[in-house]
Amino acid sequence: MIKRRKSKGILIGNVKIGDNAPISVQSMCNTDTRDVNATLKQINEMADKGCELVRLAVLNKDAADAIKEIVKKSPVPLIADIHFDYRLAIKCINNGINALRLNPGNIGKRENVEKVVKLAKQQNIPIRIGVNAGSLEKELQEKNIPLSEKMVISAMGHIKILEDLDFDLIKVSLKSSDVLTTIEAYRLIAEKIPYPLHLGVTEAGTLRGGLIKSSVGLGTLLAEGIGDTIRVSLTENPVEEVSAGFDILKSLGLRQNGVNFISCPTCGRTQIDLISLAKKVEEKFKYIKEPITIATMGCAVNGPGEAKHADFGIAGGINEGYIFKKGEIVARVPEDQLLEKLEEIITKSSK
C-alpha cells in the first residue's frame, strides 16, 4: 500500500484534487479552441476513455469567447491554459471555466494579477502554477545550481504572489523533458508546500518513447506517494494519454478503471500464437469498465498457476487452450473458439 503525501484539497468543477482523493487523469485538447464542435468532439472522446479533466489552450479573445459554449456542453471540468494576457483569464472565468493554468509572474503588472486572483477567489476557481524547465525566468537560468532547484525557486516565487493576495486554491506542476530533473524537482517541492501536485514529464515524445519516460518519471513519484493528478504528455492523439495515465495508476494499485490485462512473455513452452492471441484479448474486452483482471498465458504450466490471481484467463495448449477462473480450469476449447468462450464465461459471471 502506497502512503500518499498529505496535500490540501481543492475542487475543479466536481473533481476533487488532493486531500487523498483518487489521483485524477487529465489531458489537453490539440484542437483550435475557437472551433467549438471539434473541441467538444475531442473532449467527449477523452471522457469516454475516463478522462476527468481537460485543458484547453486559450490563445486569443475568440478562443476565450468560445469557452462559454464549450463549458455548457462539456461532460468534464475544463481548465484554461493562459499565457501573458490577464484579460483572457478574466474572460474565461466569466465564461464559466472551472480552473486556470497560468504563472502569475508572466501576466504583467501586479494590478493585473490582482484582478485575476480577486475574481478567481470570488468564484472559487483554482489556479495551477505550471513551471516548465524550458521557460524559466532569465535570472534563474543564469544561476549555477541544478535545474530542479531553479524550477522549485520559480514555483515558490509564483506561489508567494498568490499567497500574498490571500489565495490558496493552488495546484503546482514542475515539468521537464528530462526524467531525473522532473523527479528531483517534485521531490524538493513536495516537502515545501501543502498544495496538490500535478505530475507530468513534458515533451516526453512519441507513443513508445513518451510512454517509457512518463512511466518511469510518474511511476517513481507516485510510488513515493507524490502526486494528486497526472497527465501523460505524448505526441499522439490525446485519447492515448488518458489510457496511458490509467494504465500507470493501475500498475501501482492507485486506480482501478476497466480491465487489467496481463500476459506472459513467449518462450519455448508456448504452443499457441500467444502474441496474436494476447492482442485479440486486449482488443476484445477493452469495452469492459469493471475493474477485473484478464490473463493470456502461453501454456498450462504458467497459466492457472502464475495467473491464479486473475479473475479470468486463457492458458495455451497445442491448437487449443484452457479457460480458467481464479486459477481453476473451467473449460478446454479449440484455439479458434477461445475468445468466444472466454466472453461467454465472463458475461455469465457478471450477471
Side-chain angles (χ1 to χ4, degrees):
M1 178 70 72
I2 293 172
K3 183 178 180 181
R4 291 178 58 193
R5 164 184 171 268
K6 291 183 179 179
S7 62
K8 171 184 169 59
I10 61 172
L11 275 176
I12 298 179
N14 60 356
V15 177
K16 186 177 181 182
I17 309 292
D19 192 27
N20 212 39
I23 296 168
S24 57
V25 174
Q26 58 180 276
S27 185
M28 184 174 183
C29 281
N30 59 15
T31 55
D32 184 336
T33 305
R34 294 172 297 181
D35 188 336
V36 173
N37 290 333
T39 300
L40 281 168
K41 180 176 182 292
Q42 193 168 71
I43 290 170
N44 279 287
E45 288 171 352
M46 289 190 279
D48 287 344
K49 284 291 184 179
C51 189
E52 293 153 312
L53 298 163
V54 173
R55 182 159 47 111
L56 305 176
V58 181
L59 305 180
N60 49 44
K61 180 180 176 295
D62 289 340
D65 288 338
I67 290 292
K68 189 169 187 177
E69 188 67 21
I70 295 170
V71 166
K72 286 180 184 177
K73 298 179 180 179
S74 174
V76 297
L78 302 177
I79 302 164
D81 192 273
I82 308 287
H83 291 279
F84 308 120
D85 192 340
Y86 78 97
R87 293 167 297 182
L88 297 179
I90 288 174
K91 183 172 283 289
C92 285
I93 294 174
N94 287 331
N95 282 343
I97 203 70
N98 303 109
L100 299 173
R101 186 272 192 184
L102 54 80
N103 289 338
N106 78 6
I107 58 171
K109 300 176 183 177
R110 184 177 175 86
E111 62 191 66
N112 295 338
V113 177
E114 289 177 356
K115 290 174 184 176
V116 174
V117 174
K118 181 180 179 181
L119 188 58
K121 187 174 181 180
Q122 287 175 353
Q123 300 195 29
N124 291 315
I125 303 299
I127 294 175
R128 168 159 76 93
I129 293 171
V131 173
N132 191 309
S135 55
L136 293 172
E137 297 88 334
K138 186 176 179 181
E139 61 271 22
L140 282 176
Q141 293 177 20
E142 296 171 351
K143 283 183 175 288
N144 187 26
I145 57 176
L147 180 54
S148 57
E149 293 182 23
K150 295 178 186 180
M151 293 168 67
V152 171
I153 292 171
S154 177
M156 296 301 289
H158 293 305
I159 290 168
K160 187 175 187 304
I161 293 172
L162 295 184
E163 290 180 335
D164 286 349
L165 294 171
D166 194 31
F167 186 86
D168 65 353
L169 299 178
I170 299 171
K171 177 158 59 83
V172 180
S173 67
L174 304 95
K175 298 183 180 182
S176 169
S177 58
D178 180 76
V179 173
L180 293 179
T181 298
T182 299
I183 291 170
E184 186 58 26
Y186 278 108
R187 283 173 173 166
L188 288 171
I189 205 163
E191 299 176 351
K192 295 179 180 292
I193 61 172
Y195 305 115
L197 296 174
H198 166 74
L199 302 188
V201 176
T202 194
E203 299 144 14
T206 52
L207 187 59
R208 183 176 180 274
L211 281 174
I212 292 170
K213 289 180 183 176
S214 295
S215 297
V216 172
L218 274 61
T220 298
L221 291 164
L222 291 166
E224 294 176 6
I226 297 171
D228 301 283
T229 179
I230 66 171
R231 179 194 176 189
V232 178
S233 297
L234 300 172
T235 311
E236 185 53 81
N237 186 323
V239 172
E240 297 292 344
E241 297 185 349
V242 179
S243 299
F246 277 112
D247 285 343
I248 290 171
L249 294 175
K250 280 193 290 188
S251 72
L252 292 165
L254 290 167
R255 288 292 296 269
Q256 294 299 325
N257 180 280
V259 178
N260 175 32
F261 291 102
I262 63 173
S263 58
C264 66
T266 57
C267 74
R269 290 192 302 268
T270 304
Q271 301 292 322
I272 200 169
D273 185 359
L274 180 63
I275 295 174
S276 174
L277 180 60
K279 290 177 179 178
K280 288 177 181 177
V281 168
E282 192 166 20
E283 179 65 25
K284 179 77 171 177
F285 299 105
K286 67 181 183 181
Y287 69 90
I288 295 177
K289 302 298 184 185
E290 291 76 19
I292 65 172
T293 296
I294 299 178
T296 310
M297 310 299 283
C299 69
V301 174
N302 285 351
E306 290 193 12
K308 63 183 177 184
H309 62 286
D311 296 288
F312 305 94
I314 293 173
I318 302 175
N319 299 320
E320 64 179 9
Y322 302 90
I323 309 292
F324 60 91
K325 179 179 176 182
K326 292 292 187 182
E328 297 295 326
I329 294 175
V330 294
R332 181 177 175 179
V333 187
E335 184 173 354
D336 61 356
Q337 298 175 26
L338 281 169
L339 283 178
E340 182 182 338
K341 187 63 176 179
L342 179 59
E343 183 173 39
E344 177 188 321
I345 290 170
I346 291 174
T347 301
K348 285 183 179 178
S349 298
S350 65
K351 290 181 178 179

